[in-house]
Amino acid sequence: MVNNLIADVCNDLQGILNETQQRELEKVLRRRLPAFIQSEQESPVSDPANLLVLFIAAKRVEGCSEKSLCYYESTIRNMLGTISKPEKQITTEDLRQYLDSYQRRGTVSKVTLDNVRRILSSFFAWLEDEDYIIKSPVRRIHKVKTGKTVKETYSDESLEIMRDYCDNPRDLAMIDLLSSTGIRVGELVKLNITDVDFENRECLVFGKGNKERKVYFDARTKIHLQKYLDSRTDDSPALFVSLLQPYQRLQISGVEIRLRKMGRDLNIHKVHPHKFRRTLATIAIDKGMPIEQVQHLLGHQSIDTTLQYAMVNQVNVKNSCKKFLG
């Protein structure tokens, strides 16, 4: 390879350099090129693991959560292990075949597949920006068409049934806070008692990327939250704690398990924390709340995300058709 490269360089410069200069150039190339190629091959930066570490470090500096970083790392590491090539040699065809085989597993949804594509795109775009590669091989791989499905929201009746089911003040306060604020379950479990302003019926939550925002709750939630806090005998700063000693801060899994059990016992389809969030967005938009305000309330960076959460009430569509078109 070295000899061919030297010959190509000398041929390209023929007519520009005289014979003496060409001989000197050839000597220099034969002395320098092998050492340069060897150092490139031994360079730790060419190690896929090291490039991945650098990428994850860059994303951490940008403010990505540890959960997102773990997802990024496992997704990229799986791709590198499957393709078994250095990043510089990975082609668009390699990635298309990888995504195709990933999809053929049978249990992967199109949304998940597009998430993988998006993460790979972010990785190779970073490699391009940092001059590790000339051009990202993901550029020619387009977004996966996922289609749109109307996701369920809770009915007023379902919410009341869940409230009546609660046999302790904590669960009742938790359901009220989720349904009246639309906060993420991760935001719920991070809340401290000091984050709640009962006088103004608002609380300060820390969303994705540690961004702060205020959310607002109704009078019923205020009453049930105060009753729950009055019933507690622990000194934990957390707003929601476990029902049994040592009364530790409630975790995401604890909320999800509690709500799933509630759904099974009440025969309510798909009871989970995120459904409260989608329900609030849908109700807010149906009642005429400006989409920009709903976006701020939910803590979305992009308004497109807010539109995906809000499912327009079909009864309202039918009534509007009768009013304006019928």
Side-chain angles (χ1 to χ4, degrees), residues 165-181:
Y165 171 86
C166 295
D167 58 0
N168 63 82
R170 186 204 66 180
D171 288 355
L172 181 57
M174 184 171 66
I175 286 177
D176 279 339
L177 192 63
L178 284 171
S179 60
S180 65
T181 62

Side-chain angles (χ1 to χ4, degrees), residues 26-168:
E26 186 175 348
K27 288 179 183 179
V28 171
L29 290 175
R30 289 191 181 280
R31 185 172 67 252
R32 296 289 186 183
L33 271 180
F36 175 76
I37 292 174
Q38 183 177 359
S39 67
E40 281 288 294
Q41 291 173 342
E42 295 175 353
S43 172
V45 173
S46 65
D47 183 356
N50 285 324
L51 282 178
L52 178 54
V53 168
L54 292 175
F55 171 72
I56 295 299
K59 286 295 179 183
R60 183 176 288 110
V61 170
E62 291 175 10
C64 287
S65 67
E66 287 301 318
K67 182 179 179 181
S68 296
L69 293 175
C70 288
Y71 186 35
Y72 271 58
E73 184 174 3
S74 63
T75 301
I76 297 167
R77 195 179 295 280
N78 185 53
M79 178 274 297
L80 293 173
T82 302
I83 295 179
S84 299
K85 282 185 180 180
E87 288 87 341
K88 294 181 181 180
Q89 297 178 18
I90 293 178
T91 65
T92 301
E93 288 70 27
D94 291 330
L95 293 174
R96 280 205 183 104
Q97 289 179 6
Y98 171 73
L99 291 172
D100 181 53
S101 64
Y102 195 94
Q103 183 178 226
R104 288 175 182 271
R105 296 178 186 179
T107 57
V108 178
S109 69
K110 289 188 178 295
V111 173
T112 301
L113 187 68
D114 193 60
N115 285 338
V116 172
R117 180 205 60 82
R118 183 171 47 81
I119 290 173
L120 298 182
S121 177
S122 178
F123 177 54
F124 283 101
W126 178 83
L127 291 176
E128 180 182 334
D129 291 340
E130 297 294 321
D131 295 327
Y132 291 115
I133 60 176
I134 297 173
K135 182 180 177 181
S136 168
V138 190
R139 281 193 184 188
R140 292 188 287 121
I141 301 178
H142 303 297
K143 185 181 185 300
V144 179
K145 294 181 179 180
T146 56
K148 290 185 179 181
T149 57
V150 177
K151 296 182 179 179
E152 294 181 8
T153 57
Y154 294 119
S155 65
D156 292 341
E157 182 180 347
S158 296
L159 289 173
E160 289 304 322
I161 290 173
M162 284 189 280
R163 289 188 178 100
D164 290 342
Y165 171 86
C166 295
D167 58 0
N168 63 82

Side-chain angles (χ1 to χ4, degrees), residues 232-237:
R232 280 172 52 178
T233 57
D234 62 275
D235 57 358
S236 172

